[in-house]
Amino acid sequence: MHGAAYWLTLIIGLAGIVVTLALAGRRIQFLTKLFRSGQPDPERTLQVRREPKAAVEGQAVEVLGQKKLLKWTVAGAAHFAVMWAFFLLATVYLEAGVQLIFGLEAHIPFIQTWGPIGFVQDTIALACLLGLATFAAIRIKQSPKKLGRKSRFKGSHTGGAWVILFMIFNVIWTMFFFRGIEAARDELTYGKAAYASWLSGRPFTGLSDGTLNWLESVGLLLHIGVALVFLVIVVNSKHLHIFIAPLNVMFKRRPDGLGAAQPMMSKGKPLDFEEADPDEDTFGRGKIEDFTWKGYLDMATCTECGRCQSQCPAWNTGKPLSPKMLVLELRDHAFAKAPYMLASEEEKEKFTDEQKLAMQVDKELVGDDGVIHPDVLWSCTNCGACVEQCPVDIEHIDHILDMRRFQVMIESSFPSEAGVMLKNLENKGNPWGMSEMKRLEWIEELDFEVEVVDEKLPEDTEYLFWVGCAGALEDRAKKTTKATAELLHIAGVKFAVLGPMEACTGDPARRLGMEFVFQMLGQQNVETLNEAGAKKIVATCPHCFNTLANEYPQIGGNYEVVHHTQLLAHLVEEGKLTPINPIEENITYHDPCFLGRHNKVYKQPRDIMATVPGVKTQEMHRHKDRGFCCGAGGARMWMEERIGKRINTERVDEALETNPDTVSTACPFCLVMLGDAINEKKNEGAAKETLEVVDVSQLLIRSVKGEKEPAPAE
Ligand code: SF4
Ligand code: SF4
């Protein structure tokens, strides 16, 4: 026979569960409806079916293994403990459920008497407490009130985060409380193996059976009650990520949301510009309803951790763009507008003006008074630091690019300076608007012959050397082109160039949002390359490299593409290039974003420098996957930088901290941006006159040949 304590506990517990399930269920139903209302994105589900192993690996490595979070050791370890406590302490809730229904003395046969389980439960609960203390310390240290923009929590809902920490703390102490009472009653089936629970029961030994019985009932109800309140808070807050982050990881764009920009999609299919109808099709994202279900999932999954913001070059130099706030602003707008989006046409007509105002029905997506300010949208360099760092795989760049596409292609609204670049691309096939014949001029400065393709590549050609617009037309980048050509020549690699047949890959147009011009140039280049019979391509520009390798397959161009640093490192390793002349210099290497983060080439440029005798390398504070952009990507090269500190100046300030003789890099745009900033520093007297920025190929040729630069022809 059960007593009054049992019945009261059972009634209160069951009532709480029913109310909670109703409240949480309603919210989950709303969220499901919202996600389902997004535009279709069939590729996301198809890729999971095509590569189930990769999907499972993603869950194992990123969700269970917390790989991305652990890149930030202390915060990552704390999150690891709290997340595993969430999984493992679900077993305590299972036990609590059994005790609620069958009485305090009930337990799960065989399992709930096995000491190691109790030991693991107590240990992870203590680890969780340690994790909570660490989170609290980080939040105090990183308080936006103290650090302002420097805090990664600036713009996050910090109050909500403290509530969550408090709720998790409640889960833990109530667990120890009710299990401690159980231990005091000598009813804790794990015995002393559940050491922390057993110890928490010590102060209660000696109380009467009746008192302990009531105390345990109260403890059990508190423990269950905390979880129920927590569940309602979670589904209504950023902590929703507990449930949906695994989905976001599962459906992320493989392999990591970086590299290729995605084709423009409308109704789940690539947009065909010849057939497209601006009234029927979506051209990028012009309103929140244009986002796909994966876009909504991204917005809802953001944990507001601010890792993306802390790495963003735009945010770090005083621009209004924070990738975190961009996602949060989209999310808040989607939630505000959701009742309108989900309403039937009939219901929509019944909404009053006040209701429509509250639902932000007429709020522009991008505009001075819109959800996203144009300065935010145009500040992005597409550097990928946000995507790289985001622990839940949110794809910021894809969203930014899609919003840019609507602004450029439908609204014709973009920084006017970039218009010149677009016109030049359309008319001349390069951003500077130079004559195509100028693409041959660098060859005349060499003292050996370079094969220029005339329709077909000669049979014995190993590589088509994709020179790129900067490499052919920009004076500083031409030095890289000449150094690379000469190194290939010395190593005996047969290569050919397209010369005037080469046009811009279309990268600046695409990253600006002008997909039409990208498609035009891309198709022209793919046709030229396919007709020439190109199979293997080497490129010195990481933007060309990324486009040729990762984006041209979208339009029928499939080639084996390498960056020149990869090929040169390989030639050095094979002994075909031997750096012999010492370069006694301190050199710091700047990782180009489209080579490093977007394509994971970090090692080869460093390997090349390591083989040059005398070179002493020193890493900048931010390097490799946490490298800092030069400011040129995302078509920013072609726009004025009017807000905040210049990104290239910030990067050169970091480089100067290493007291370098030379700054090296592996991208013509980084070369120009860093070179400009170094010249400014020299004018200010803040950098030594001899400081220069060079491509790693220039260092290599100097060491291989013992000359400062490739010798010009007589
Ligand atoms: S891609 Fe780079 S610049 Fe753009 S939002 Fe992300 S971190 Fe900032
Ligand atoms: S977008 Fe990702 S990295 Fe940025 S705050 Fe949200 S969860 Fe953190």
Side-chain angles (χ1 to χ4, degrees), residues 258 308-309 311-315 321-324 326 376-377 379-388 396-397 400 404 593 597-598 629 636 647:
L258 292 168
C308 55
Q309 178 174 294
Q311 304 297 307
C312 176
W315 180 258
L321 165 65
S322 147
K324 171 185 75 183
L326 178 127
V376 168
L377 194 64
S379 290
C380 178
T381 66
N382 280 212
C383 73
C386 48
V387 180
E388 173 77 39
H396 315 72
I397 297 182
I400 289 172
R404 283 186 175 187
C593 303
R597 261 191 304 268
H598 281 279
C629 183
R636 287 284 333 162
I647 295 176

CSV table of all heavy atoms in Angstrom, one decimal, residues 258 308-309 311-315 321-324 326 376-377 379-388 396-397 400 404 593 597-598 629 636 647, ligand 1:
chain,number,residue,atom,x,y,z
A,258,LEU,N,32.3,25.7,-46.9
A,258,LEU,CA,33.3,26.7,-47.4
A,258,LEU,C,33.6,26.2,-48.9
A,258,LEU,O,33.0,25.3,-49.4
A,258,LEU,CB,34.6,26.7,-46.5
A,258,LEU,CG,34.4,27.3,-45.2
A,258,LEU,CD1,35.5,27.0,-44.3
A,258,LEU,CD2,34.1,28.8,-45.3
A,308,CYS,N,32.1,33.2,-34.0
A,308,CYS,CA,32.2,33.8,-35.4
A,308,CYS,C,32.5,35.2,-35.3
A,308,CYS,O,33.4,35.7,-36.0
A,308,CYS,CB,30.8,33.6,-36.1
A,308,CYS,SG,29.4,34.2,-35.3
A,309,GLN,N,31.8,35.9,-34.4
A,309,GLN,CA,32.0,37.4,-34.3
A,309,GLN,C,33.5,37.7,-33.9
A,309,GLN,O,34.1,38.6,-34.4
A,309,GLN,CB,31.1,37.9,-33.2
A,309,GLN,CG,31.1,39.3,-32.9
A,309,GLN,CD,30.0,39.7,-32.0
A,309,GLN,OE1,28.9,39.7,-32.3
A,309,GLN,NE2,30.4,40.1,-30.7
A,311,GLN,N,36.1,36.3,-34.6
A,311,GLN,CA,37.1,36.0,-35.7
A,311,GLN,C,36.9,36.9,-36.9
A,311,GLN,O,37.7,36.9,-37.8
A,311,GLN,CB,37.0,34.6,-36.2
A,311,GLN,CG,37.2,33.5,-35.1
A,311,GLN,CD,38.6,33.6,-34.4
A,311,GLN,OE1,39.6,33.6,-35.1
A,311,GLN,NE2,38.6,33.8,-33.1
A,312,CYS,N,35.7,37.6,-37.0
A,312,CYS,CA,35.3,38.3,-38.2
A,312,CYS,C,36.2,39.5,-38.4
A,312,CYS,O,36.3,40.4,-37.6
A,312,CYS,CB,33.8,38.7,-38.1
A,312,CYS,SG,33.3,39.6,-39.5
A,313,PRO,N,36.9,39.6,-39.6
A,313,PRO,CA,37.7,40.8,-39.8
A,313,PRO,C,36.9,42.1,-39.9
A,313,PRO,O,37.4,43.1,-39.5
A,313,PRO,CB,38.4,40.5,-41.2
A,313,PRO,CG,37.5,39.4,-41.8
A,313,PRO,CD,36.9,38.7,-40.7
A,314,ALA,N,35.7,42.0,-40.4
A,314,ALA,CA,34.8,43.2,-40.4
A,314,ALA,C,34.5,43.7,-39.0
A,314,ALA,O,34.7,44.9,-38.7
A,314,ALA,CB,33.6,42.9,-41.2
A,315,TRP,N,34.1,42.8,-38.2
A,315,TRP,CA,33.7,43.2,-36.8
A,315,TRP,C,34.9,43.7,-36.1
A,315,TRP,O,34.9,44.7,-35.3
A,315,TRP,CB,33.1,42.0,-36.1
A,315,TRP,CG,32.7,42.3,-34.7
A,315,TRP,CD1,33.4,41.9,-33.5
A,315,TRP,CD2,31.6,43.0,-34.2
A,315,TRP,NE1,32.8,42.4,-32.4
A,315,TRP,CE2,31.6,43.1,-32.8
A,315,TRP,CE3,30.5,43.7,-34.9
A,315,TRP,CZ2,30.7,43.8,-32.0
A,315,TRP,CZ3,29.6,44.3,-34.1
A,315,TRP,CH2,29.6,44.4,-32.7
A,321,LEU,N,29.2,44.8,-39.4
A,321,LEU,CA,28.9,43.4,-39.6
A,321,LEU,C,29.4,42.5,-38.5
A,321,LEU,O,30.6,42.5,-38.2
A,321,LEU,CB,29.5,42.9,-40.9
A,321,LEU,CG,29.6,41.4,-41.1
A,321,LEU,CD1,28.2,40.8,-41.2
A,321,LEU,CD2,30.4,41.0,-42.4
A,322,SER,N,28.5,41.8,-37.8
A,322,SER,CA,28.8,40.7,-37.0
A,322,SER,C,28.1,39.5,-37.5
A,322,SER,O,26.8,39.5,-37.6
A,322,SER,CB,28.4,40.9,-35.5
A,322,SER,OG,28.1,39.7,-34.9
A,323,PRO,N,28.8,38.4,-37.9
A,323,PRO,CA,28.0,37.2,-38.4
A,323,PRO,C,27.0,36.7,-37.5
A,323,PRO,O,25.9,36.2,-37.9
A,323,PRO,CB,29.1,36.2,-38.7
A,323,PRO,CG,30.4,36.7,-38.1
A,323,PRO,CD,30.2,38.2,-37.9
A,324,LYS,N,27.3,36.8,-36.2
A,324,LYS,CA,26.3,36.3,-35.2
A,324,LYS,C,25.1,37.2,-35.2
A,324,LYS,O,24.0,36.7,-35.3
A,324,LYS,CB,27.0,36.4,-33.8
A,324,LYS,CG,26.0,36.1,-32.6
A,324,LYS,CD,26.7,36.3,-31.3
A,324,LYS,CE,26.8,37.8,-30.9
A,324,LYS,NZ,27.5,38.0,-29.7
A,326,LEU,N,24.0,39.1,-37.5
A,326,LEU,CA,23.3,38.9,-38.7
A,326,LEU,C,22.3,37.7,-38.7
A,326,LEU,O,21.1,37.8,-39.0
A,326,LEU,CB,24.3,38.7,-39.9
A,326,LEU,CG,23.7,38.5,-41.3
A,326,LEU,CD1,24.3,39.4,-42.3
A,326,LEU,CD2,24.0,37.1,-41.8
A,376,VAL,N,26.1,46.3,-43.5
A,376,VAL,CA,26.4,45.0,-42.9
A,376,VAL,C,26.7,44.0,-44.0
A,376,VAL,O,27.7,43.3,-44.1
A,376,VAL,CB,25.2,44.5,-42.0
A,376,VAL,CG1,25.4,43.0,-41.7
A,376,VAL,CG2,25.1,45.4,-40.8
A,377,LEU,N,25.7,44.1,-45.0
A,377,LEU,CA,25.8,43.1,-46.1
A,377,LEU,C,27.1,43.3,-46.9
A,377,LEU,O,27.7,42.3,-47.3
A,377,LEU,CB,24.6,43.3,-47.0
A,377,LEU,CG,24.3,42.2,-48.0
A,377,LEU,CD1,24.0,40.9,-47.3
A,377,LEU,CD2,23.2,42.6,-48.9
A,379,SER,N,29.9,44.6,-46.0
A,379,SER,CA,31.2,44.6,-45.3
A,379,SER,C,31.9,43.2,-45.3
A,379,SER,O,33.1,43.1,-45.0
A,379,SER,CB,31.0,44.9,-43.8
A,379,SER,OG,30.6,46.2,-43.6
A,380,CYS,N,31.2,42.2,-45.8
A,380,CYS,CA,31.7,40.8,-45.7
A,380,CYS,C,32.8,40.6,-46.7
A,380,CYS,O,32.6,40.9,-47.9
A,380,CYS,CB,30.6,39.8,-45.8
A,380,CYS,SG,31.1,38.1,-45.8
A,381,THR,N,33.9,39.9,-46.3
A,381,THR,CA,35.0,39.6,-47.3
A,381,THR,C,34.9,38.1,-47.7
A,381,THR,O,35.8,37.7,-48.4
A,381,THR,CB,36.3,39.9,-46.6
A,381,THR,OG1,36.5,38.9,-45.6
A,381,THR,CG2,36.5,41.3,-46.1
A,382,ASN,N,33.9,37.5,-47.3
A,382,ASN,CA,33.7,36.0,-47.6
A,382,ASN,C,34.9,35.2,-47.1
A,382,ASN,O,35.3,34.2,-47.7
A,382,ASN,CB,33.6,35.8,-49.1
A,382,ASN,CG,32.2,36.0,-49.6
A,382,ASN,OD1,31.7,35.4,-50.6
A,382,ASN,ND2,31.5,37.0,-49.0
A,383,CYS,N,35.6,35.7,-46.0
A,383,CYS,CA,36.8,35.0,-45.6
A,383,CYS,C,36.6,33.7,-45.0
A,383,CYS,O,37.5,32.9,-44.9
A,383,CYS,CB,37.5,35.9,-44.6
A,383,CYS,SG,36.7,35.9,-43.0
A,384,GLY,N,35.4,33.4,-44.6
A,384,GLY,CA,35.1,32.0,-44.1
A,384,GLY,C,35.4,31.8,-42.6
A,384,GLY,O,35.2,30.7,-42.1
A,385,ALA,N,35.9,32.8,-41.9
A,385,ALA,CA,36.3,32.6,-40.5
A,385,ALA,C,35.1,32.3,-39.7
A,385,ALA,O,35.2,31.4,-38.7
A,385,ALA,CB,36.9,33.9,-39.9
A,386,CYS,N,33.9,32.8,-40.0
A,386,CYS,CA,32.7,32.5,-39.2
A,386,CYS,C,32.3,31.1,-39.4
A,386,CYS,O,32.0,30.4,-38.5
A,386,CYS,CB,31.6,33.5,-39.6
A,386,CYS,SG,31.4,33.6,-41.4
A,387,VAL,N,32.3,30.6,-40.7
A,387,VAL,CA,31.8,29.3,-41.0
A,387,VAL,C,32.8,28.3,-40.3
A,387,VAL,O,32.4,27.3,-39.8
A,387,VAL,CB,31.7,29.1,-42.5
A,387,VAL,CG1,31.2,27.7,-42.8
A,387,VAL,CG2,30.8,30.1,-43.1
A,388,GLU,N,34.1,28.6,-40.4
A,388,GLU,CA,35.1,27.7,-39.9
A,388,GLU,C,34.9,27.5,-38.4
A,388,GLU,O,35.1,26.4,-37.9
A,388,GLU,CB,36.5,28.3,-40.2
A,388,GLU,CG,37.7,27.7,-39.6
A,388,GLU,CD,38.1,26.4,-40.3
A,388,GLU,OE1,38.1,26.4,-41.5
A,388,GLU,OE2,38.5,25.4,-39.6
A,396,HIS,N,27.0,31.1,-42.9
A,396,HIS,CA,26.8,32.6,-43.0
A,396,HIS,C,27.0,33.1,-44.4
A,396,HIS,O,26.3,33.9,-44.9
A,396,HIS,CB,27.8,33.3,-42.1
A,396,HIS,CG,27.9,32.8,-40.7
A,396,HIS,ND1,28.5,31.6,-40.4
A,396,HIS,CD2,27.4,33.3,-39.5
A,396,HIS,CE1,28.4,31.4,-39.1
A,396,HIS,NE2,27.8,32.4,-38.5
A,397,ILE,N,28.1,32.6,-45.0
A,397,ILE,CA,28.5,33.1,-46.3
A,397,ILE,C,27.4,32.9,-47.4
A,397,ILE,O,27.0,33.8,-48.2
A,397,ILE,CB,29.8,32.5,-46.9
A,397,ILE,CG1,30.9,32.9,-45.9
A,397,ILE,CG2,30.1,33.0,-48.3
A,397,ILE,CD1,32.3,32.4,-46.3
A,400,ILE,N,24.7,35.4,-46.8
A,400,ILE,CA,25.1,36.8,-47.2
A,400,ILE,C,25.1,36.9,-48.7
A,400,ILE,O,24.6,37.9,-49.3
A,400,ILE,CB,26.5,37.1,-46.6
A,400,ILE,CG1,26.4,37.3,-45.1
A,400,ILE,CG2,27.1,38.3,-47.3
A,400,ILE,CD1,27.7,37.4,-44.4
A,404,ARG,N,23.0,39.3,-51.2
A,404,ARG,CA,23.7,40.2,-52.1
A,404,ARG,C,23.1,40.0,-53.5
A,404,ARG,O,22.9,40.9,-54.3
A,404,ARG,CB,25.2,39.9,-52.2
A,404,ARG,CG,25.9,40.5,-51.0
A,404,ARG,CD,27.4,40.2,-51.2
A,404,ARG,NE,28.2,40.9,-50.1
A,404,ARG,CZ,29.5,41.0,-50.1
A,404,ARG,NH1,30.2,40.4,-51.1
A,404,ARG,NH2,30.1,41.6,-49.1
A,593,CYS,N,42.8,33.6,-47.3
A,593,CYS,CA,41.6,32.9,-46.8
A,593,CYS,C,41.1,31.8,-47.9
A,593,CYS,O,40.7,30.8,-47.5
A,593,CYS,CB,40.4,33.9,-46.6
A,593,CYS,SG,40.9,35.1,-45.4
A,597,ARG,N,41.6,28.6,-45.3
A,597,ARG,CA,40.3,28.2,-44.8
A,597,ARG,C,39.4,27.6,-45.8
A,597,ARG,O,38.7,26.5,-45.6
A,597,ARG,CB,39.5,29.4,-44.1
A,597,ARG,CG,39.7,29.4,-42.7
A,597,ARG,CD,38.8,30.4,-42.0
A,597,ARG,NE,39.0,31.7,-42.6
A,597,ARG,CZ,39.8,32.6,-42.1
A,597,ARG,NH1,40.5,32.4,-41.0
A,597,ARG,NH2,39.9,33.8,-42.6
A,598,HIS,N,39.3,28.2,-47.0
A,598,HIS,CA,38.4,27.6,-48.0
A,598,HIS,C,38.9,26.3,-48.6
A,598,HIS,O,38.1,25.5,-49.1
A,598,HIS,CB,38.1,28.7,-49.1
A,598,HIS,CG,37.1,29.7,-48.7
A,598,HIS,ND1,35.7,29.5,-48.7
A,598,HIS,CD2,37.3,31.0,-48.3
A,598,HIS,CE1,35.1,30.6,-48.3
A,598,HIS,NE2,36.0,31.5,-48.0
A,629,CYS,N,41.9,37.9,-42.5
A,629,CYS,CA,41.8,38.3,-43.9
A,629,CYS,C,42.6,39.5,-44.2
A,629,CYS,O,42.9,40.4,-43.4
A,629,CYS,CB,40.3,38.6,-44.1
A,629,CYS,SG,39.8,39.0,-45.8
A,636,ARG,N,35.4,42.7,-52.1
A,636,ARG,CA,35.8,43.9,-51.3
A,636,ARG,C,36.9,44.6,-52.0
A,636,ARG,O,37.1,45.8,-51.8
A,636,ARG,CB,36.1,43.6,-49.9
A,636,ARG,CG,35.0,43.2,-49.0
A,636,ARG,CD,34.1,44.3,-48.5
A,636,ARG,NE,34.7,45.6,-48.4
A,636,ARG,CZ,34.0,46.7,-48.4
A,636,ARG,NH1,32.7,46.7,-48.4
A,636,ARG,NH2,34.7,47.9,-48.3
A,647,ILE,N,41.1,46.8,-43.0
A,647,ILE,CA,41.5,45.4,-42.6
A,647,ILE,C,42.9,45.1,-42.9
A,647,ILE,O,43.6,44.5,-42.1
A,647,ILE,CB,40.5,44.4,-43.3
A,647,ILE,CG1,39.1,44.6,-42.8
A,647,ILE,CG2,41.0,43.0,-43.1
A,647,ILE,CD1,38.0,43.8,-43.5
B,1,SF4,S1,32.9,35.5,-44.1
B,1,SF4,FE1,34.5,36.7,-42.9
B,1,SF4,S2,33.9,38.8,-43.2
B,1,SF4,FE2,32.1,37.6,-43.8
B,1,SF4,S3,30.9,37.5,-41.9
B,1,SF4,FE3,32.2,35.7,-42.0
B,1,SF4,S4,34.0,36.2,-40.8
B,1,SF4,FE4,32.9,38.1,-41.3
